Amino acid sequence: MQEKSVITSTIETARGVFAPGHLGELTQVVDFALVDAVLEETGRREKRLRLLPSRVVVYFVLALALFEHRSYRMVWSKLTAALTPLALVRPAVSSLTRARRRVGAAPLRRLFETLAGPVARPGQDGSFYRGLRTVAVDGTLLHTPDDETLTWRYPKRAGEGLEFGYPLLRLLALVECGTRALIAAAFGPESEGELPYAKRLLAALDKTMLLLADAAFDSNEFLDAVHQSGAGSWCAPGPAVSPLPPSTWATAPTSRASATASCGYCCRYV
Protein backbone atom coordinates (compact mmCIF):
# COMPACT_ATOMS: atom_id res chain seq x y z
CA MET A 1 0.00 0.00 0.00
CA GLN A 2 1.39 3.34 -1.04
CA GLU A 3 2.02 5.69 1.84
CA LYS A 4 0.74 9.23 1.62
CA SER A 5 1.44 12.38 3.59
CA VAL A 6 -0.71 15.46 3.88
CA ILE A 7 0.81 18.89 4.40
CA THR A 8 -1.52 21.41 5.97
CA SER A 9 -1.02 25.05 6.79
CA THR A 10 -2.87 27.58 8.88
CA ILE A 11 -3.70 30.93 7.31
CA GLU A 12 -4.40 33.72 9.77
CA THR A 13 -6.85 36.45 8.84
CA ALA A 14 -7.89 39.64 10.55
CA ARG A 15 -11.18 40.04 12.33
CA GLY A 16 -14.44 41.64 11.30
CA VAL A 17 -14.55 43.70 8.10
CA PHE A 18 -10.77 43.27 7.74
CA ALA A 19 -11.09 39.47 7.34
CA PRO A 20 -11.23 39.40 3.48
CA GLY A 21 -7.92 41.27 3.37
CA HIS A 22 -5.47 38.43 2.75
CA LEU A 23 -3.77 36.45 -0.03
CA GLY A 24 -3.57 33.06 1.60
CA GLU A 25 0.02 32.03 2.23
CA LEU A 26 1.26 35.03 0.23
CA THR A 27 0.11 37.17 3.15
CA GLN A 28 3.34 36.06 4.85
CA VAL A 29 5.17 38.19 2.26
CA VAL A 30 2.63 40.97 1.89
CA ASP A 31 1.66 41.17 5.54
CA PHE A 32 -0.87 43.37 7.31
CA ALA A 33 1.74 45.65 8.85
CA LEU A 34 3.36 46.35 5.48
CA VAL A 35 0.06 47.16 3.77
CA ASP A 36 -1.01 49.41 6.66
CA ALA A 37 2.36 51.19 6.51
CA VAL A 38 2.13 52.01 2.79
CA LEU A 39 -1.46 53.18 3.24
CA GLU A 40 -0.36 55.49 6.04
CA GLU A 41 2.63 56.73 4.04
CA THR A 42 0.52 57.53 0.97
CA GLY A 43 -2.34 59.07 2.96
CA ARG A 44 -4.90 56.46 1.85
CA ARG A 45 -5.82 54.95 5.20
CA GLU A 46 -9.52 55.39 5.99
CA LYS A 47 -10.48 58.04 8.51
CA ARG A 48 -13.55 56.07 9.57
CA LEU A 49 -14.13 52.32 9.53
CA ARG A 50 -15.89 51.18 6.36
CA LEU A 51 -17.32 47.89 5.14
CA LEU A 52 -14.43 47.94 2.64
CA PRO A 53 -11.39 49.20 4.57
CA SER A 54 -8.41 50.38 2.55
CA ARG A 55 -6.32 47.37 3.59
CA VAL A 56 -8.97 44.99 2.20
CA VAL A 57 -9.09 46.97 -1.05
CA VAL A 58 -5.32 46.63 -1.51
CA TYR A 59 -5.50 42.85 -1.09
CA PHE A 60 -8.49 42.75 -3.45
CA VAL A 61 -6.50 44.55 -6.18
CA LEU A 62 -3.58 42.17 -5.68
CA ALA A 63 -6.00 39.25 -6.00
CA LEU A 64 -7.32 40.74 -9.26
CA ALA A 65 -3.78 40.44 -10.63
CA LEU A 66 -3.53 36.81 -9.50
CA PHE A 67 -6.91 35.94 -11.05
CA GLU A 68 -6.83 38.27 -14.04
CA HIS A 69 -9.50 36.41 -16.02
CA ARG A 70 -12.06 36.45 -13.20
CA SER A 71 -14.75 39.01 -12.49
CA TYR A 72 -14.86 41.23 -9.41
CA ARG A 73 -17.47 38.98 -7.79
CA MET A 74 -15.49 35.80 -8.47
CA VAL A 75 -12.30 37.28 -7.05
CA TRP A 76 -14.16 38.48 -3.96
CA SER A 77 -15.55 34.96 -3.56
CA LYS A 78 -12.00 33.55 -3.61
CA LEU A 79 -10.95 35.96 -0.85
CA THR A 80 -13.91 34.97 1.34
CA ALA A 81 -14.28 31.27 0.45
CA ALA A 82 -12.91 30.08 3.80
CA LEU A 83 -14.64 32.79 5.82
CA THR A 84 -18.28 31.73 5.45
CA PRO A 85 -18.81 31.34 9.22
CA LEU A 86 -18.19 35.07 9.61
CA ALA A 87 -21.28 36.03 7.57
CA LEU A 88 -19.43 38.81 5.73
CA VAL A 89 -21.18 41.26 3.44
CA ARG A 90 -21.00 40.66 -0.30
CA PRO A 91 -20.29 44.10 -1.80
CA ALA A 92 -21.74 45.11 -5.14
CA VAL A 93 -19.40 45.54 -8.10
CA SER A 94 -20.08 49.29 -8.00
CA SER A 95 -18.96 49.39 -4.34
CA LEU A 96 -15.72 47.61 -5.17
CA THR A 97 -15.14 49.99 -8.08
CA ARG A 98 -15.65 53.06 -5.87
CA ALA A 99 -13.37 51.58 -3.22
CA ARG A 100 -10.60 51.12 -5.81
CA ARG A 101 -10.96 54.74 -6.89
CA ARG A 102 -10.84 55.89 -3.26
CA VAL A 103 -7.61 54.03 -2.51
CA GLY A 104 -6.01 54.85 -5.88
CA ALA A 105 -2.73 53.64 -7.34
CA ALA A 106 -0.27 55.25 -4.90
CA PRO A 107 -0.34 52.49 -2.22
CA LEU A 108 0.11 49.76 -4.86
CA ARG A 109 3.02 51.64 -6.42
CA ARG A 110 4.69 52.07 -3.03
CA LEU A 111 4.07 48.43 -2.16
CA PHE A 112 5.75 47.35 -5.40
CA GLU A 113 8.73 49.62 -4.78
CA THR A 114 9.10 48.16 -1.29
CA LEU A 115 8.95 44.50 -2.33
CA ALA A 116 10.66 44.59 -5.74
CA GLY A 117 14.34 43.75 -5.91
CA PRO A 118 16.86 40.95 -6.42
CA VAL A 119 16.62 37.91 -4.18
CA ALA A 120 19.38 35.54 -5.39
CA ARG A 121 22.04 34.61 -2.89
CA PRO A 122 25.64 35.53 -3.84
CA GLY A 123 26.97 33.01 -6.33
CA GLN A 124 23.59 31.35 -6.96
CA ASP A 125 23.56 29.39 -10.22
CA GLY A 126 21.92 31.23 -13.10
CA SER A 127 21.99 34.60 -11.37
CA PHE A 128 25.68 35.59 -11.50
CA TYR A 129 28.36 35.89 -14.17
CA ARG A 130 31.96 36.58 -13.19
CA GLY A 131 30.82 37.96 -9.87
CA LEU A 132 28.15 40.25 -11.34
CA ARG A 133 24.43 39.81 -10.72
CA THR A 134 22.77 39.19 -14.11
CA VAL A 135 19.59 41.11 -14.79
CA ALA A 136 17.58 41.42 -18.00
CA VAL A 137 15.29 44.03 -19.53
CA ASP A 138 12.57 43.48 -22.10
CA GLY A 139 9.13 44.68 -23.04
CA THR A 140 5.70 43.39 -23.97
CA LEU A 141 2.29 44.71 -25.01
CA LEU A 142 -0.94 44.25 -23.07
CA HIS A 143 -4.50 44.86 -24.22
CA THR A 144 -6.58 47.37 -22.28
CA PRO A 145 -10.40 47.66 -22.30
CA ASP A 146 -11.83 49.55 -25.26
CA ASP A 147 -13.36 52.25 -23.10
CA GLU A 148 -13.20 56.02 -23.48
CA THR A 149 -12.03 56.35 -19.89
CA LEU A 150 -8.80 54.62 -21.03
CA THR A 151 -8.43 55.33 -24.74
CA TRP A 152 -7.48 58.96 -24.10
CA ARG A 153 -4.34 57.59 -22.44
CA TYR A 154 -3.93 54.33 -24.37
CA PRO A 155 -5.11 55.00 -27.95
CA LYS A 156 -5.75 52.34 -30.55
CA ARG A 157 -3.49 51.84 -33.48
CA ALA A 158 -4.67 53.88 -36.43
CA GLY A 159 -4.18 53.98 -40.18
CA GLU A 160 -5.42 56.58 -42.61
CA GLY A 161 -8.76 57.49 -41.07
CA LEU A 162 -9.24 54.08 -39.45
CA GLU A 163 -8.66 52.81 -35.93
CA PHE A 164 -8.30 49.09 -35.32
CA GLY A 165 -7.67 46.55 -32.57
CA TYR A 166 -7.73 47.04 -28.82
CA PRO A 167 -5.87 49.87 -27.09
CA LEU A 168 -2.39 48.71 -26.13
CA LEU A 169 -0.22 49.30 -23.08
CA ARG A 170 3.56 48.89 -23.34
CA LEU A 171 5.22 47.31 -20.30
CA LEU A 172 8.98 47.21 -19.68
CA ALA A 173 10.38 45.12 -16.84
CA LEU A 174 13.79 44.64 -15.28
CA VAL A 175 14.15 41.16 -13.78
CA GLU A 176 16.82 39.15 -12.03
CA CYS A 177 18.02 36.20 -14.10
CA GLY A 178 17.65 32.78 -12.51
CA THR A 179 14.97 33.82 -10.01
CA ARG A 180 12.75 35.97 -12.30
CA ALA A 181 12.35 38.40 -9.42
CA LEU A 182 11.02 41.77 -10.56
CA ILE A 183 13.37 44.64 -9.83
CA ALA A 184 11.61 47.54 -11.57
CA ALA A 185 8.88 48.18 -14.14
CA ALA A 186 7.60 51.02 -16.30
CA PHE A 187 4.56 51.25 -18.53
CA GLY A 188 2.56 53.66 -20.65
CA PRO A 189 1.05 54.11 -24.12
CA GLU A 190 2.24 51.78 -26.88
CA SER A 191 2.90 54.79 -29.11
CA GLU A 192 6.23 55.30 -27.31
CA GLY A 193 9.00 52.80 -28.08
CA GLU A 194 10.77 50.55 -25.62
CA LEU A 195 13.84 52.72 -25.05
CA PRO A 196 12.07 55.68 -23.35
CA TYR A 197 10.51 53.29 -20.83
CA ALA A 198 13.75 51.34 -20.40
CA LYS A 199 15.55 54.54 -19.41
CA ARG A 200 13.13 54.90 -16.50
CA LEU A 201 14.44 51.60 -15.12
CA LEU A 202 18.09 52.60 -15.01
CA ALA A 203 17.87 53.96 -11.47
CA ALA A 204 17.47 50.35 -10.31
CA LEU A 205 20.88 49.35 -11.72
CA ASP A 206 24.16 49.52 -9.84
CA LYS A 207 27.80 48.49 -10.23
CA THR A 208 27.12 44.95 -8.96
CA MET A 209 24.92 44.15 -12.00
CA LEU A 210 25.33 42.99 -15.57
CA LEU A 211 22.38 43.96 -17.79
CA LEU A 212 21.30 41.59 -20.58
CA ALA A 213 19.25 43.01 -23.45
CA ASP A 214 18.25 42.18 -27.03
CA ALA A 215 18.87 44.13 -30.22
CA ALA A 216 16.03 46.58 -29.53
CA PHE A 217 18.22 48.16 -26.83
CA ASP A 218 21.40 48.38 -28.93
CA SER A 219 21.50 52.17 -28.77
CA ASN A 220 24.68 54.07 -27.96
CA GLU A 221 22.70 56.59 -25.91
CA PHE A 222 20.96 53.89 -23.88
CA LEU A 223 24.11 51.83 -23.31
CA ASP A 224 26.00 54.93 -22.26
CA ALA A 225 23.25 55.65 -19.72
CA VAL A 226 23.60 52.07 -18.45
CA HIS A 227 27.36 52.63 -18.07
CA GLN A 228 26.73 55.84 -16.13
CA SER A 229 24.72 53.78 -13.63
CA GLY A 230 27.85 51.71 -12.97
CA ALA A 231 26.41 48.50 -14.39
CA GLY A 232 27.88 46.51 -17.24
CA SER A 233 25.75 45.39 -20.17
CA TRP A 234 25.53 42.68 -22.81
CA CYS A 235 23.44 43.71 -25.79
CA ALA A 236 22.74 41.68 -28.94
CA PRO A 237 23.31 43.82 -32.05
CA GLY A 238 21.08 43.67 -35.09
CA PRO A 239 21.43 40.90 -37.70
CA ALA A 240 23.32 43.18 -40.10
CA VAL A 241 26.51 42.40 -38.15
CA SER A 242 28.30 39.26 -39.28
CA PRO A 243 28.36 36.61 -36.56
CA LEU A 244 31.61 35.56 -34.97
CA PRO A 245 32.44 31.91 -34.24
CA PRO A 246 30.71 30.39 -31.17
CA SER A 247 34.09 30.12 -29.45
CA THR A 248 34.11 33.91 -29.04
CA TRP A 249 30.61 34.28 -27.62
CA ALA A 250 31.55 33.93 -23.96
CA THR A 251 34.59 36.20 -24.24
CA ALA A 252 34.08 39.46 -22.38
CA PRO A 253 36.46 42.07 -21.02
CA THR A 254 36.91 41.82 -17.28
CA SER A 255 37.73 45.52 -16.93
CA ARG A 256 35.02 47.91 -15.77
CA ALA A 257 36.57 50.68 -17.90
CA SER A 258 34.46 52.69 -20.30
CA ALA A 259 35.89 50.94 -23.35
CA THR A 260 33.35 49.17 -25.51
CA ALA A 261 34.11 45.78 -27.03
CA SER A 262 32.07 44.29 -29.86
CA CYS A 263 31.49 40.55 -29.87
CA GLY A 264 29.88 40.38 -33.30
CA TYR A 265 26.45 38.97 -33.82
CA CYS A 266 26.15 37.46 -30.37
CA CYS A 267 26.64 40.31 -27.98
CA ARG A 268 28.10 43.69 -27.22
CA TYR A 269 29.72 44.43 -23.87
CA VAL A 270 29.87 47.88 -22.33
Side-chain angles (χ1 to χ4, degrees):
M1 183 176 180
Q2 187 177 7
E3 295 183 358
K4 295 183 179 180
S5 61
V6 178
I7 300 175
T8 61
S9 59
T10 301
I11 307 301
E12 294 186 2
T13 61
R15 295 182 177 181
V17 293
F18 290 94
H22 71 94
L23 289 174
E25 292 191 9
L26 288 179
T27 313
Q28 298 176 42
V29 179
V30 189
D31 60 36
F32 302 149
L34 175 59
V35 174
D36 287 344
V38 298
L39 287 168
E40 192 72 39
E41 182 180 335
T42 56
R44 292 296 190 272
R45 196 162 188 174
E46 67 276 348
K47 294 181 172 56
R48 60 182 178 83
L49 189 59
R50 302 168 180 264
L51 292 178
L52 286 173
S54 298
R55 183 206 293 174
V56 172
V57 178
V58 169
Y59 282 110
F60 174 69
V61 175
L62 295 176
L64 288 175
L66 292 175
F67 306 103
E68 59 178 318
H69 300 300
R70 299 292 184 267
S71 67
Y72 274 24
R73 285 190 179 278
M74 292 182 70
V75 173
W76 182 263
S77 296
K78 289 182 177 295
L79 291 178
T80 58
L83 305 176
T84 48
L86 299 181
L88 298 168
V89 297
R90 184 178 172 86
V93 172
S94 58
S95 299
L96 292 168
T97 301
R98 287 194 298 271
R100 284 192 66 183
R101 290 193 184 124
R102 168 170 54 84
V103 172
L108 280 301
R109 183 183 300 111
R110 187 71 188 100
L111 190 61
F112 175 82
E113 293 170 349
T114 302
L115 292 173
V119 298
R121 300 181 303 276
Q124 182 172 324
D125 289 346
S127 297
F128 288 85
Y129 177 75
R130 297 192 179 185
L132 297 176
R133 187 183 301 274
T134 53
V135 299
V137 62
D138 208 352
T140 189
L141 295 174
L142 303 175
H143 291 111
T144 67
D146 188 358
D147 187 280
E148 61 182 10
T149 58
L150 291 173
T151 51
W152 69 271
R153 173 65 173 162
Y154 303 103
K156 298 181 180 181
R157 290 180 174 179
E160 294 185 6
L162 179 66
E163 291 184 332
F164 54 91
Y166 278 91
L168 293 173
L169 174 151
R170 189 182 297 280
L171 170 66
L172 269 287
L174 180 69
V175 301
E176 180 181 47
C177 299
T179 65
R180 302 182 184 179
L182 272 173
I183 298 174
F187 63 90
E190 179 261 349
S191 53
E192 288 192 58
E194 289 185 327
L195 284 174
Y197 294 112
K199 290 177 181 177
R200 290 161 54 182
L201 307 178
L202 297 182
L205 297 176
D206 60 40
K207 63 182 181 181
T208 69
M209 297 178 177
L210 177 64
L211 177 68
L212 309 180
D214 62 27
F217 303 90
D218 188 17
S219 156
N220 286 336
E221 182 182 355
F222 176 73
L223 295 178
D224 183 61
V226 173
H227 174 69
Q228 295 300 321
S229 73
S233 65
W234 282 96
C235 188
V241 182
S242 299
L244 291 180
S247 60
T248 67
W249 288 3
T251 303
T254 56
S255 169
R256 304 289 301 196
S258 60
T260 300
S262 176
C263 295
Y265 182 82
C266 176
C267 55
R268 174 179 173 188
Y269 181 85
V270 178

